Amino acid sequence: MNKEERTPLLETRDLKKYFKTGAGLLHAVDSINIKLYQGETIGVVGESGCGKSTLGRTILKLIEPTSGDIIYNGKNISKLSTRAMRPLRKEMQIIFQDPYSSLDPRKSVIDIISEYMLIHKVYKSKKETYQHAAELMDLVGLARRYANVYPHELDGGRRQRIGVARALSLNPKFIVCDEPVSALDVSIQAQILNLLMDLQEQLNLSYMFVTHDLSVVKHISNHIMVMYLGVCVEFATSDELFENPLHPYTQVLLDAIPEPTLESRNQPFKLIKGEVTSPINPKPGCRFAGRCEHCMEVCTQITPEYVETEPGHFVACHLVNGR
């Protein structure tokens, strides 16, 4: 069955999230359209402040959307109340960026992993809940001897395994991974990434993997969305994006990935020059225009359309779309 015949597990339609500021509306997420299928991963990349984490939290309705639709498992959840969303919390979870600040320092490992199951009364007794929590520790590679220790007694990798186990405790279908490895050492990053991929294969999970590291996102994602100041500038399969990047911003991000070779050590870095456009009440035009070396007059006047240039490859750029 091809994708045209399958129903997406998650879909957003013209999703927007604006924040009120003293200077006007800050366009954190602006007209995002994505489809995520069961068992797949969408990587969301871009520099800090582009709206990646806000997008993930808005989809989970931890932040209420300004407008647009969030379709989960065929149901529009964008207007659901907090009470109506509660049953869906079991199916939609998040792994936070900082594996320390996201854990309650007053609770032991077993209590942290059990917390969601106790709130939702998944099991009849506390003993059953703790037994399942111990099984989750086995699943994520966390030794049971750590069950009664506290987060501050563990290193970053083990703390993040607690976060993964907690997210899995309610048997979710969809997980937002909000930069889950950015605060970890490189060797630990690889362990957590491999763990997430193994769990995805075992449990048929769907991920939205938020990161600023393109080399990381290529390793785990089926599709990649590149965001810049709240908008999607390019979307394609992981292989296609790396082989044929079309948007100038995507090209610069790829150029910034360091190559671990002796020949590359003397090569100059390609820097992005110019000023970042304000996301508050943005004017018509491409939001990357002020930093783009290919900027044309039309780029500063008309917002580029989001066009499918090749099957499954979308880009919003006047240069690419021939205007």
Side-chain angles (χ1 to χ4, degrees), residues 215 257-265:
S215 57
I257 299 175
E259 295 183 25
T261 62
L262 292 174
E263 293 77 13
S264 64
R265 63 181 176 178

Side-chain angles (χ1 to χ4, degrees), residues 189-250:
Q189 285 184 13
Q191 294 177 22
I192 298 299
L193 284 174
N194 290 331
L195 170 64
L196 290 171
M197 294 173 71
D198 290 343
L199 291 171
Q200 182 175 44
E201 187 174 344
Q202 292 176 40
L203 306 175
N204 198 26
L205 297 170
S206 300
Y207 294 145
M208 172 178 282
F209 195 91
V210 174
T211 182
H212 61 271
D213 189 338
L214 271 166
S215 57
V216 166
V217 82
K218 182 185 181 183
H219 185 63
I220 195 171
S221 302
N222 300 96
H223 294 80
I224 298 176
M225 179 174 73
V226 182
M227 287 187 71
Y228 185 78
L229 290 184
V231 297
C232 174
V233 296
E234 189 163 3
F235 179 90
T237 64
S238 180
D239 291 339
E240 170 69 13
L241 192 82
F242 275 77
E243 291 173 7
N244 184 30
L246 298 178
H247 198 281
Y249 179 60
T250 307

